[in-house]
């Protein structure tokens, strides 16, 4: 039987479609060959061995039909989150009648209604766990082996066969002398005498316990996979909604502060991961403060999912609240570090926090294990010298230094998260960004500069989400 998909082994890769197609073709050719042999076999109704062989041919065809269906499922891939009715799984046909093979799990029996004699094959004694030296059970005695809840089903099948000459095809569970419960599939027909009366009944009984156990595993695995997919979709939707609720709602350019002739022209953009549908904990923010200053911040909380998005919302709310209360960037990050260190679920984060005073064009800023802002002026760019600051949540009681930079009209600041330039180390990524300086110098607005960044790096596959915030000093 083809292996089922594991919830807990997402790295396993399915076989190539071509190899599965080849197996499907081989299975269908084998089905044709088995069917041809079955048709050529002599059909002697009075020969128990012939009936047993014919039943095995039918079982083999049934197995090959199941195998064909399972290979088709394997070719199509794992099921989606929509409910899928499980398809019965069936093991491969036997190659030799060894212990544990299919033949050792298939036995035959015949019950003579005229003499009340029963004849069992050795395999049937093995299936039912009975001593071959003991007498086989009669039809009246057979239900004593069956679980109470399955006895009515067996009685109904046998009655329909003996009274109405209906073939038997059904399953029931038996309890062996050692206490083990086995599932048995029974196929049989009545044998009629010359006047059309039922003289005996023959049957082939197959131990399908392992098959049903495997089928349950497949069904449980499928249910687990669908539950996981549904939960992932729900978490993704919640994380997106939470992120959209807390990140700045503005699109296009924004000018802050609104009541000052000296403003910052602002624009930002998020670049989603191409490797994961999970929402990360990044943020960007621009906020006009009560004293006329402008807050700029970019950060990233490690991890993905609803919990991380919720943690990001908490940090961003704290940043806004402390900045509005007049807290300077260095002290703000110190308190933010204490907040993250005190959370129930430990986490790490990075951030850069800037406070721009338009009257003096002074930028006070601090960073916590985050890329420093890039300053572009007169067609060239450089990275600002970063004051000391460790990752948020890494060291309790950490202090964060603060730096100042005087800006000029026309200057452009670029704040970003890690991974904005994927596929390059830190030095190469910095060079790629600084190479945009001449193009930034020709751009008319911060929004134009953001478009340049997206055009340059937006189509590149990236493992994690990234964002960029650009502020241009205007007069």
């Amino acid at each position: 039987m083809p292996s089922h998909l594991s919830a807990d082994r997402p790295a396993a890769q399915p076989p190539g479609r071509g190899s599965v197609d080849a197996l499907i073709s081989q299975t269908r050719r084998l089905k044709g060959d088995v069917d041809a042999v079955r048709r050529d076999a002599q059909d002697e109704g009075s020969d128990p061995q012939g009936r047993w062989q014919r039943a095995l041919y039918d079982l083999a065809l049934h197995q090959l039909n199941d195998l064909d269906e399972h290979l088709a499922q394997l070719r199509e891939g794992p099921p989606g989150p929509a409910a899928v009715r499980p398809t019965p799984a069936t093991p491969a046909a036997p190659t030799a009648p060894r212990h544990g093979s299919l033949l050792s799990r298939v036995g035959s029996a015949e019950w003579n209604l005229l003499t009340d004699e029963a004849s069992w094959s050795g395999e049937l004694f093995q299936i039912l766990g009975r001593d071959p030296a003991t007498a086989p059970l009669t039809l009246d005695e057979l239900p004593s082996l069956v679980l109470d809840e399955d006895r009515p089903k067996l009685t109904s099948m046998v009655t329909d066969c003996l009274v109405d000459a209906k073939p038997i095809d059904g399953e029931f569970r038996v309890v062996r002398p050692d206490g083990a419960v086995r599932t048995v599939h029974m196929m049989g027909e009545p044998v009629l005498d010359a006047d059309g009366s039922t003289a005996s009944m023959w049957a082939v009984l197959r131990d399908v316990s392992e098959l049903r156990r495997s089928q349950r595993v497949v069904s449980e695995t499928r249910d687990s996979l669908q539950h996981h997919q549904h939960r992932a979709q729900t978490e993704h939707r919640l994380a997106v909604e939470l992120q959209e609720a807390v990140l700045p709602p503005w699109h296009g350019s924004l000018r802050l502060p609104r009541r000052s002739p000296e403003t910052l022209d602002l624009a930002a953009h998020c670049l989603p991961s191409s490797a994961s549908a999970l929402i990360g904990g990044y943020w960007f923010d621009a906020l006009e403060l009560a004293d006329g200053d402008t807050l700029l911040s970019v950060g990233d909380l490690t991890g993905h999912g609803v919990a991380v998005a919720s943690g990001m919302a908490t940090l961003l709310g704290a940043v806004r609240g402390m900045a509005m209360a007049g807290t300077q960037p260095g002290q703000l990050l110190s308190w933010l570090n204490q907040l993250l260190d005190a959370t129930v679920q430990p986490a790490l984060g990075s951030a850069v926090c800037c406070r721009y005073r338009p009257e003096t064009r002074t930028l006070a800023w601090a960073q916590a294990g985050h890329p420093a802002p890039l300053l572009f002026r007169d067609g060239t760019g450089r990275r600002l010298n970063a004051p000391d600051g460790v990752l948020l949540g890494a060291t309790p009681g950490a202090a964060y230094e603060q730096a100042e930079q005087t800006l000029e009209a026309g200057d452009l600041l670029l704040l970003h998260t890690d991974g904005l330039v994927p596929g390059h180390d830190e030095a190469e990524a910095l060079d790629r960004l600084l190479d945009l300086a001449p193009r930034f110098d020709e751009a008319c607005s911060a929004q134009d500069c953001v478009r340049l960044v997206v055009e340059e790096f937006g189509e590149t596959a990236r493992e994690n989400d990234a964002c960029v915030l650009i502020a241009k000093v205007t007069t």
Side-chain angles (χ1 to χ4, degrees):
M1 184 183 77
S3 298
H4 62 271
L5 182 60
S6 175
D8 57 351
R9 295 181 61 185
Q13 298 299 316
R17 186 181 182 93
S19 62
V20 176
D21 285 336
L23 289 174
I24 291 175
S25 298
Q26 294 174 18
T27 301
R28 292 175 179 174
R29 285 196 298 268
L30 183 57
K31 283 168 54 180
D33 294 340
V34 172
D35 188 52
V37 174
R38 182 180 66 88
R39 293 176 183 274
D40 293 338
Q42 294 184 354
D43 186 8
E44 299 180 3
S46 60
D47 179 12
Q49 182 176 354
R51 294 195 300 268
W52 177 73
Q53 289 176 343
R54 188 176 69 252
L56 281 180
Y57 283 134
D58 292 338
L59 284 174
L61 284 174
H62 179 69
Q63 293 167 351
L64 290 171
N65 284 329
D66 284 348
L67 178 59
D68 191 2
E69 293 177 8
H70 291 315
L71 289 173
Q73 289 180 335
L74 183 62
R75 178 178 59 186
E76 296 303 324
V84 179
R85 183 179 300 276
T87 300
T90 304
T95 57
R98 63 188 183 279
H99 179 74
S101 70
L102 179 62
L103 286 179
S104 71
R105 298 196 302 273
V106 177
S108 60
E110 184 165 5
W111 290 273
N112 191 313
L113 302 183
L114 302 179
T115 63
D116 200 27
E117 294 178 344
S119 174
W120 287 9
S121 69
E123 291 83 4
L124 185 54
F125 280 97
Q126 179 182 337
I127 290 172
L128 300 180
R130 296 184 62 82
D131 184 355
T134 62
L137 300 181
T138 66
L139 281 177
D140 292 333
E141 297 169 332
L142 185 62
S144 66
L145 303 180
V146 181
L147 287 179
D148 291 343
E149 54 265 39
D150 290 356
R151 285 178 186 172
K153 182 177 182 180
L154 174 62
T155 301
S156 176
M157 289 192 301
V158 172
T159 300
D160 289 343
C161 179
L162 299 181
V163 176
D164 299 325
K166 293 182 179 180
I168 291 177
D169 188 355
E171 293 182 7
F172 51 88
R173 290 165 295 170
V174 299
V175 181
R176 292 160 52 115
D178 60 4
V181 177
R182 309 296 292 179
T183 302
V184 176
H185 181 243
M186 186 177 185
M187 295 179 66
E189 294 178 355
V191 179
L192 307 181
D193 57 16
D195 63 1
S197 300
T198 303
S200 63
M201 189 189 83
W202 66 269
V204 171
L205 293 93
R206 176 181 170 213
D207 184 351
V208 294
S209 305
E210 298 303 322
L211 169 63
R212 296 299 170 246
R213 185 177 296 110
S214 298
Q215 189 175 350
R216 287 194 298 271
V217 170
V218 171
S219 177
E220 291 168 0
T221 303
R222 179 184 288 108
D223 292 344
S224 176
L225 174 62
Q226 293 170 1
H227 175 72
H228 174 76
Q229 291 173 330
H230 177 72
R231 184 176 63 183
Q233 290 177 346
T234 301
E235 289 186 357
H236 180 267
R237 185 183 70 253
L238 291 175
V240 169
E241 292 175 354
L242 181 58
Q243 189 181 68
E244 290 177 347
V246 298
L247 291 182
W250 44 272
H251 300 280
S253 293
L254 175 70
R255 288 181 177 267
L256 294 178
R258 294 181 177 86
R259 295 180 296 274
S260 173
E262 301 286 341
T263 64
L264 292 178
D265 178 24
L266 301 161
H269 190 82
C270 300
L271 293 88
S273 165
S274 58
S276 174
L278 297 177
I279 298 297
Y282 68 88
W283 81 82
F284 64 89
D285 197 24
L287 180 67
E288 182 176 356
L289 302 176
D291 60 1
D293 290 356
T294 297
L295 168 71
L296 304 176
S297 70
V298 169
D300 191 9
L301 196 62
T302 57
H304 299 86
V306 175
V308 173
S310 177
M312 176 272 291
T314 299
L315 291 184
L316 182 54
V319 169
R320 290 170 174 171
M322 288 187 287
M324 190 64 73
T327 306
Q328 293 299 307
Q331 183 62 61
L332 188 152
L333 290 181
S334 295
W335 287 344
L336 202 64
N337 178 66
Q338 293 183 29
L339 175 63
L340 193 59
D341 185 60
T343 57
V344 176
Q345 294 182 340
L348 294 175
S350 67
V352 59
C353 182
C354 307
R355 192 180 185 103
Y356 176 70
R357 183 171 294 275
E359 292 84 358
T360 60
R361 293 180 182 163
T362 302
L363 183 78
W365 69 284
Q367 62 83 30
H370 198 88
L374 305 183
L375 174 61
F376 295 87
R377 177 181 294 170
D378 298 330
T380 62
R382 65 181 179 90
R383 182 167 61 183
L384 297 183
N385 295 325
D388 291 340
V390 298
L391 285 170
L392 298 172
T395 305
Y400 293 83
E401 295 184 0
Q402 182 171 304
E404 287 191 1
Q405 176 69 43
T406 300
L407 303 181
E408 299 177 2
D411 282 356
L412 186 143
L413 281 174
L414 187 151
L415 283 65
H416 66 94
T417 59
D418 280 327
L420 179 62
V421 185
H424 299 277
D425 59 27
E426 183 180 355
E428 293 173 341
L430 175 61
D431 290 340
R432 292 286 303 277
L433 288 170
L434 295 179
D435 287 342
L436 295 176
R439 299 167 66 184
F440 283 162
D441 194 48
E442 297 174 358
C444 297
S445 67
Q447 185 63 44
D448 291 337
C449 295
V450 166
R451 290 194 188 100
L452 290 174
V453 173
V454 174
E455 290 173 1
E456 189 72 20
F457 309 114
E459 298 300 323
T460 307
R462 66 187 69 252
E463 294 184 2
N464 297 300
D465 299 328
C467 66
V468 58
L469 172 63
I470 290 180
K472 187 172 185 179
V473 180
T474 64
T475 55

